[in-house]
């Protein structure tokens, strides 16, 4: 019980720290994305979209290069859900994920979405504060989510705009996992 409470407190502190650090950019980017959010899809439109299909959630890390050949063989039989930083390596390896998840509002993170190889069959699952330039690369192929119910969401709802939330706990990999769960994927593997 102590470990569980410790994890909950750690997660709450991590979310609070991230919210304070990114609050100005979160608000600015969410407002800049308002039109795209209005035109886009809601993440909950993916509910049970791939029910019963296996999914591979792909994060960037030192082991990614070594598993790309295995992923290339597996990709035709599974839903591939990439994180923002793993998209480019996947595309360069000839693997086109069905979904890429982006959440980090920073300009530095947005660079992962610039000058991508063709990925017209990939949908972006985007947190509302994602840098608008990153989301622009997926115009017409974006499903939006929010990580909390703080501003500007109360105001957006007065405009008739809302979307579902995904739990992120400070990591885009967690949001990618939540996307696979929402889509009904089973089993879900991590790379």
């Amino acid at each position: 019980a102590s470990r569980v409470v410790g994890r909950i407190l750690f997660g709450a502190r991590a979310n609070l720290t991230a919210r304070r650090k990114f609050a100005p950019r979160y608000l600015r980017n969410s407002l800049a994305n308002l039109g795209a959010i209005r035109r886009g899809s809601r993440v909950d439109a993916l509910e049970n979209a791939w029910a019963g299909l296996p999914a591979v959630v792909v994060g960037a890390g030192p082991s990614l290069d070594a598993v790309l050949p295995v992923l290339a063989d597996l990709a035709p039989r599974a839903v591939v859900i990439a994180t923002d930083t793993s998209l480019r390596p996947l595309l360069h390896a000839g693997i086109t994920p069905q979904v890429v998840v982006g959440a980090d509002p920073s300009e530095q993170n947005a660079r992962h979405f610039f000058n991508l190889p063709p990925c017209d069959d990939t949908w972006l699952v985007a947190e509302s504060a994602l840098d608008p330039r990153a989301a622009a690369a997926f115009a017409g192929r974006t499903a939006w989510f929010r990580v909390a119910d703080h501003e500007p969401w109360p105001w957006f709802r007065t405009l008739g705009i809302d979307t579902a939330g995904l739990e992120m706990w400070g990591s885009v990999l967690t949001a990618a996992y939540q996307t696979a769960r929402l889509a009904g994927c089973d089993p879900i593997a991590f790379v």
Side-chain angles (χ1 to χ4, degrees), residues 53-58 71 74-75 78-82 97 180 185 187-191:
L53 294 177
V56 180
V57 175
V58 184
L71 276 174
L74 182 62
V79 178
V80 178
I81 300 175
C185 296
I188 301 170
F190 288 90
V191 173

Side-chain angles (χ1 to χ4, degrees), residues 52-107:
L53 294 177
V56 180
V57 175
V58 184
S63 64
L64 181 56
D65 288 342
V67 298
L68 286 174
V70 175
L71 276 174
D73 289 339
L74 182 62
R77 299 185 311 272
V79 178
V80 178
I81 300 175
T83 58
D84 43 19
T85 53
S86 69
L87 179 60
R88 188 178 308 276
L90 288 170
L91 294 172
H92 282 296
I95 302 166
T96 303
Q98 286 88 338
V99 173
V100 58
V101 179
D104 185 327
S106 71
E107 294 175 27

Side-chain angles (χ1 to χ4, degrees), residues 95-183:
I95 302 166
T96 303
Q98 286 88 338
V99 173
V100 58
V101 179
D104 185 327
S106 71
E107 294 175 27
Q108 179 180 3
N109 192 70
R111 289 187 227 143
H112 294 289
F113 292 102
F114 297 166
N115 303 314
L116 289 170
C119 58
D120 296 339
D121 293 327
T122 302
W123 272 70
L124 172 65
V125 171
E127 207 285 325
S128 66
L130 187 69
D131 187 296
R133 295 169 297 164
F138 295 87
R141 295 176 288 126
T142 304
W144 295 92
F145 72 96
R146 58 181 161 72
V147 294
D149 205 23
H150 51 69
E151 293 297 344
W153 285 99
W155 177 65
F156 280 1
R157 277 193 289 284
T158 68
L159 302 174
I161 300 167
D162 199 6
T163 192
L166 286 181
E167 292 193 22
M168 221 173 92
W169 298 101
S171 172
V172 69
L173 190 62
T174 305
Y177 168 70
Q178 293 293 346
T179 301
R181 286 197 55 205
L182 176 69

